[in-house]
Amino acid sequence: MDAPSVALYNQLKAAQPFFLLAGPNVIESEEHVMKMAKHIKAITTKLGVPLVFKSSFDKANRTSSKSFRGPGLEQGLKILEKVKAAYDLPVVTDVHESCQCEAVGRVADIIQIPAFLCRQTDLLVAAAKTGKIINIKKGQFCAPSVMANSVEKIRLAGNHNVMVCERGTMFGYNDLIVDPRNFEWLRETNCPVVADVTHALQQPAGKKLDGGGVASGGLRELIPCIARTAVAVGVDGIFMEVHDDPLNSPCDGPTQWPLRNLEELLEELIAIARVTKGKKPLKIDLTPFKE
């Protein structure tokens, strides 16, 4: 087992009030990622929130072939290495193919399994064998109980550093809903539970493109609503994509939270967590009530 990964995993499990996985959806340029890492770290350090910086080197599952995908594996990993060195931050990024896992495991502290791929056994096992922390996003098409099987695949491959992430459930063709019960049910996996409060508000293939085709839209204005709910329920971590100019982001702009509003939102979430964190479930007494 990778010793630094075990240490980070234990640190995140013990994080108070919660840990944060945050950054721009995709690596747009080295300059932009370094800028975002600098500002997000400054905010989370001020507030005392443990941060893992997030950005993707390739968005292979974009709705449209016209969408920006990122710099690719080799260049993207070099940029993430520079983020780690410059700002002393752990990083998380996602993989889409088994063959990417070894290279990504040499750089990333957390390997993320995309929701669409949460049941792909070969990918899960290849990621697990890196020894890194694995964050599995629950498929939009999956019941929370399915995640126990995905987690088991990681553990049977010899890796116990695993967490699960709720990112919404399909509701019709072009919408997602977040069922707060899932935050509790996902605890049955016996690993940390993360709430993706940005992708959960996507409207998949819900935006028509000029010239034909579709792309994903989103409901950015509801990010605080979902984040408050998740923290009140008591999740261990928050996943949030953040951008300094969401309206001009080349990828998933409608569901990225503005950098200028990050500190304000985190302050509110911390206040909620201080009230609710660590509260035990109410013991329900079903004996007949008597006067």
Side-chain angles (χ1 to χ4, degrees):
M1 191 66 71
D2 185 79
S5 293
V6 173
L8 177 60
Y9 186 66
N10 290 334
Q11 176 190 341
L12 295 177
K13 285 199 300 182
Q16 295 293 337
F18 49 81
F19 61 85
L20 180 67
L21 312 181
N25 176 275
V26 66
I27 298 171
E28 299 173 25
S29 68
E30 180 179 326
E31 179 184 7
H32 183 254
V33 163
M34 297 294 277
K35 170 186 174 182
M36 293 297 298
K38 174 184 176 181
H39 287 290
I40 295 173
K41 181 177 180 179
I43 292 168
T44 55
T45 299
K46 175 182 176 181
L47 298 178
V49 176
L51 172 66
V52 180
F53 183 77
K54 183 271 169 187
S55 200
S56 299
F57 57 81
D58 180 20
K59 304 304 291 186
N61 56 353
R62 295 299 83 198
T63 304
S64 171
S65 60
K66 301 173 184 177
S67 296
F68 178 74
R69 286 183 53 166
L73 178 68
E74 185 176 350
Q75 184 182 351
L77 291 179
K78 287 180 180 178
I79 292 172
L80 290 176
E81 276 191 303
K82 291 182 179 180
V83 170
K84 292 181 66 169
Y87 298 110
D88 190 28
L89 282 173
V91 299
V92 54
T93 196
D94 38 6
V95 292
H96 294 86
E97 300 179 75
S98 300
C99 62
Q100 296 174 333
C101 292
E102 185 178 352
V104 172
R106 290 195 289 267
V107 175
D109 301 275
I110 301 177
I111 295 178
Q112 185 163 278
I113 305 297
F116 286 130
L117 303 175
C118 69
R119 291 167 41 170
Q120 296 297 107
T121 302
D122 291 346
L123 180 62
L124 291 166
V125 171
K129 287 183 176 179
T130 65
K132 299 298 182 177
I133 299 169
I134 310 301
N135 182 35
I136 312 173
K137 287 197 170 183
K138 181 184 77 65
Q140 304 92 322
F141 48 87
C142 290
S145 57
V146 170
M147 298 307 290
N149 293 353
S150 296
V151 168
E152 183 183 42
K153 292 175 183 180
I154 300 292
R155 289 174 174 156
L156 288 176
N159 188 338
H160 293 269
N161 301 326
V162 57
M163 47 197 188
V164 292
C165 181
E166 167 63 35
R167 59 94 73 221
T169 303
M170 288 301 301
F171 188 67
Y173 289 117
N174 303 116
D175 208 358
L176 295 167
I177 57 170
V178 177
D179 184 348
R181 299 175 298 177
N182 287 351
F183 297 130
E184 192 66 30
W185 286 330
L186 285 172
R187 293 203 177 279
E188 295 175 9
T189 60
N190 293 313
C191 54
V193 175
V194 181
D196 181 343
V197 302
T198 45
H199 285 106
L201 287 161
Q202 278 184 332
Q203 294 185 303
K207 185 172 68 173
K208 292 186 177 180
L209 298 175
D210 294 338
V214 293
S216 291
L219 300 169
R220 180 188 300 108
E221 67 275 13
L222 294 180
I223 289 172
C225 171
I226 301 302
R228 292 176 193 129
T229 302
V231 170
V233 172
V235 297
D236 301 286
I238 294 291
F239 178 103
M240 184 188 305
E241 292 191 331
V242 180
H243 202 280
D244 57 329
D245 187 10
L247 294 179
N248 289 302
S249 168
C251 191
D252 277 4
T255 52
Q256 295 199 67
W257 187 246
L259 176 62
R260 65 174 65 252
N261 297 119
L262 179 61
E263 183 172 347
E264 179 184 9
L265 178 56
L266 288 177
E267 286 176 337
E268 182 178 344
L269 298 181
I270 290 168
I272 294 171
R274 284 174 177 160
V275 175
T276 60
K277 192 80 171 181
K279 289 199 172 185
K280 297 180 180 179
L282 292 174
K283 184 176 180 181
I284 300 174
D285 187 350
L286 296 177
T287 56
F289 177 78
K290 296 181 179 179
E291 293 289 346

